[in-house]
Amino acid sequence: MLSYLIRRIILVLPVAFGVSIICFLLVQIAPGDPLTAIMPVDATAEEQAAMRAAYGLDKPLPVQYGIWIANLAQGDMGKSIATGRPVAAEVFGAVKNSLLLAVSAAVIAFPIGVFLGFLAGYFRDTWVDRAVTAASITGVSLPNYWLGIVLVIIFSVNLGWLPSMGAGPGGSQDWKWNWVHMRHLVLPAVTLSVVPIGIVARTVRALAGDILTQDFVQALYAKGMTRLDVLYHVARNAAATALSVMGLQLGYLLGGSILIETVFNWPGSGFLLSNAIFQRDLPLLQGTILVLALLFVAMNLIVDVVQAAIDPRIQRT
Amino acid sequence: MALAEPDMANGPEPSPMEKPQGYWAGVGERLLQDKLTMFCMAVVLLLILSAIFAPWLGLADPYKGSMIARLKPIGTPGYILGSDEQGRDMLSRLIYGGRLTLFIGLVPVVLAFFFGSFLGILAGYVGGRTNTIIMRTIDVFFAFPSVLLAIAISGALGAGIVNSLVSLTIVFIPPITRVAEAVTSGVRSLDYIDAARATGASNWTVIRMHVIGNVLSPIFVYATSLTSVCMILAAGLSFLGIGVRPPEPEWGLMLNTLRSAIYINPWLSALPGMMIFITSLCLNLLSDGLRSAMNVRD
């Protein structure tokens, strides 16, 4: 297990390196000068050059990359051009809120998805199967930013049951575990959970269907095992793959909540990202994307390791 | 199609009256029997055709607003589907909106299909160091959830139709490459490839005659399954304000600008999203139908 773990971590390093290069290049492909936002309109050529030197923009690209990485290693992701505050602080505050949203959506989505998928796989080719399959393809096809708007129309505008904006009363950004705050979490979390419900249900359906037709299931029944005990064996066989799909989905939720955060004005990383885009705040854009991508890589690593821990067959490949 | 030829050596002798059925004829026949898939195909075709021929449908001008006719509810005489926040006819804008949404939603998958197939077949067929370089580069892109990557590139490049096409194409090349590489490596190890090479056929001939025909179907089916995601993402970029620019009619952008109206005329403001949903559902069902008709297993 330990050697597998080490091998897996070594494999992650080049990916993390590649991620850092892409994030670095993002700023380079952006049209226009990254300093136009703060450069005074009447700056002379010398002043402009001085400003470029102060930000290290006069050096060749590989050197700039090296400096960027060295600072990164010390937790310094530069300063936001719009607010002047350190990018790291802004990003981590926002990522905390995004995590809260992603985990809440996962808590809603995974049990429902597993349950529906298992029902469909168990009652294959019956009306249950068809209903679940239809529901999951609908879920996967929904543009979730639109679903969010529809839910706001129903539950905020028409019924007035739930708030439609922000993470707390009066636009408060400090999350607290009380009902006043949690009411704000309901709609975005439910909206975000629909796509993973569809994907998890679809995966578990295929898994359960395949495993139930295998010989060992017949053998277990033949030796007189109860239905419930057989189901335990089926679940154990499905667990590794199902968990890996769910882990990936959690990662997607974290990176994919950007549109939903915009719909609900949720103060998370997506919200930060869209602010960064509109204010042409490239260091903030770069930092947010880097952190989200590295979180996603870490998530994949955890999923692989957990999967190998559950299913010893994986370690040998 | 190498797979399509009937097995003349072992199969039953085709009767002289009927010609042996080819692979594509079989696919077509299965598709015709699949009513749901045919229905979805009809819906998608209708959307595409009405988008293309929008100027000849006798619709109101999608750009012409009216200060006194803003946010008319659905069913208002003269405005069958109501009017938007600037008094522009919704029906017209929804049909015209299909032009950009479908264009930006479908073209990146087509482009990514070509680039991805090329890279994947190259990596899978040549193997060795070429494979390592291509596939490890592709792996890096998998470190980004697709939504994040699309928004990152579009956000850096700025709004605009071409920028959206570029960023979405980049997003979909890696998954298609990965599938193409997997299928090609599978085919590469089969005996008939060795046989073809033993006859002295050049690599190019082997790829053209024996590889492409056998790998293109699974890659194609996989690519069709991405069209719905691509459309949702394309409209999503416009919804965020980093895709199509106003005042162009585009479903994602319309959904965004109409958000301010959800307290005044809620269902009207949900209409553009309804179009995205219907299209994406049909594209998904169409892809599923194609997958079973073409006998592709994943």
Side-chain angles (χ1 to χ4, degrees), chain A residues 148-166:
Chain A
I149 293 175
V150 171
L151 290 182
V152 165
I153 291 174
I154 297 173
F155 293 99
S156 303
V157 178
N158 284 347
L159 297 170
W161 288 354
L162 291 163
S164 62
M165 294 282 193

Side-chain angles (χ1 to χ4, degrees), chain A residues 177-200:
Chain A
W177 285 104
N178 57 34
W179 178 234
V180 184
H181 282 79
M182 280 162 74
R183 274 162 49 95
H184 285 261
L185 183 59
V186 178
L187 285 184
V190 169
T191 306
L192 206 50
S193 70
V194 171
V195 174
I197 287 179
I199 293 174
V200 171

Side-chain angles (χ1 to χ4, degrees), chain A residues 18-19 22 26 29-31 137-138 141-143 145-146 152-153 157 252 258-259 262-263 277-278 280 289 292-293 296-297, chain B residues 140 142-145 148 151-152 155-157 232 235-236 239-240 242 259 262 266 270 273-274 276-277 280-281 284-285 288:
Chain A
V19 167
I22 291 183
L26 270 182
I29 62 167
I137 198 157
T138 309
S141 306
L142 273 171
Y145 42 92
W146 175 66
V152 165
I153 291 174
V157 178
Y252 283 130
I258 301 166
L259 287 152
T262 310
V263 171
I277 289 170
F278 290 114
R280 301 298 303 157
I289 288 167
L292 287 178
F296 190 56
V297 173
Chain B
V140 174
F142 277 91
F144 297 87
L148 184 65
I151 292 174
L157 288 175
I232 292 179
F239 178 73
L240 280 179
I242 48 178
R259 268 176 75 203
I262 58 170
M274 191 73 204
I276 307 173
F277 172 53
S280 115
L281 185 63
N284 263 333
L285 290 168
D288 281 2

Side-chain angles (χ1 to χ4, degrees), chain A residues 17-37:
Chain A
F17 174 65
V19 167
S20 75
I21 288 190
I22 291 183
C23 288
F24 178 74
L25 288 179
L26 270 182
V27 173
Q28 314 302 326
I29 62 167
D33 194 310
L35 291 178
T36 38

Side-chain angles (χ1 to χ4, degrees), chain B residues 75-160:
Chain B
T76 308
Y79 296 95
I80 300 167
L81 288 180
S83 64
D84 75 357
E85 77 287 349
Q86 296 190 27
R88 297 172 292 200
D89 183 54
M90 270 303 264
L91 176 68
S92 168
R93 281 182 75 76
L94 285 174
I95 291 176
Y96 271 93
R99 299 186 132 194
L100 281 173
T101 310
L102 291 168
F103 183 71
I104 307 177
L106 298 177
V107 169
V109 179
V110 177
L111 294 175
F113 173 69
F114 285 114
F115 289 120
S117 303
F118 173 76
L119 286 173
I121 292 174
L122 183 71
Y125 187 79
V126 178
R129 185 164 293 178
T130 313
N131 181 296
T132 312
I133 293 172
I134 295 177
M135 297 319 287
R136 289 299 84 80
T137 311
I138 291 301
D139 280 349
V140 174
F141 285 89
F142 277 91
F144 297 87
S146 51
V147 188
L148 184 65
L149 190 59
I151 292 174
I153 301 173
S154 284
L157 288 175

